[in-house]
Amino acid sequence: MIKINLQQMMLDHAAKKGAVVTIDEISKQTGLGRNTLSRIKNDPYRSTSTDIINKLCLYFNCSIQEILILEED
């Protein structure tokens, strides 16, 4: 099963910035809806579009392999 690693990416990004990273900040910077981001954060196994993954990768300046994790069922 593929997991979207948004929670961990937020924590890692906050550690690098030295400040808390919020859903609202990500929403403003990416144009993604706050509800969409909250659903992904709260249910990391939820199916989502490649457009959303692309925007998250650009925001976090990361590769797809860093934000998506393949876990065995």
Side-chain angles (χ1 to χ4, degrees), residues 2 5 7 11 15-18 24-25 27 30 35 38-39 41 44 49 51-52 56-57 61-62 65-67 70-71:
I2 295 174
N5 199 24
Q7 177 69 33
L11 293 171
K16 289 177 190 173
K17 284 180 59 176
D24 288 329
E25 178 185 337
S27 177
T30 63
N35 288 340
S38 291
R39 278 193 298 266
K41 182 180 174 196
S49 72
D51 183 52
I52 291 172
L56 290 173
C57 285
N61 191 30
C62 69
Q65 293 87 350
E66 292 174 277
I67 203 157
L70 179 62
E71 293 185 342

Side-chain angles (χ1 to χ4, degrees), residues 7 9 11 13 18 21 23 25 30 32-33 35 37-39 45 48 50 52 55-56 58 64 66-67 72:
Q7 177 69 33
M9 294 301 294
L11 293 171
H13 198 68
V21 176
I23 291 288
E25 178 185 337
T30 63
L32 297 170
N35 288 340
L37 293 167
S38 291
R39 278 193 298 266
Y45 297 100
T48 192
T50 55
I52 291 172
K55 288 179 180 182
L56 290 173
L58 291 173
I64 239 175
E66 292 174 277
I67 203 157
E72 292 187 32

Side-chain angles (χ1 to χ4, degrees), residues 1-5 39-48 69-73:
M1 190 165 237
I2 295 174
K3 176 182 177 183
I4 302 170
N5 199 24
R39 278 193 298 266
I40 292 169
K41 182 180 174 196
N42 294 326
D43 182 6
Y45 297 100
R46 179 186 266 290
S47 177
T48 192
I69 299 171
L70 179 62
E71 293 185 342
E72 292 187 32
D73 291 337

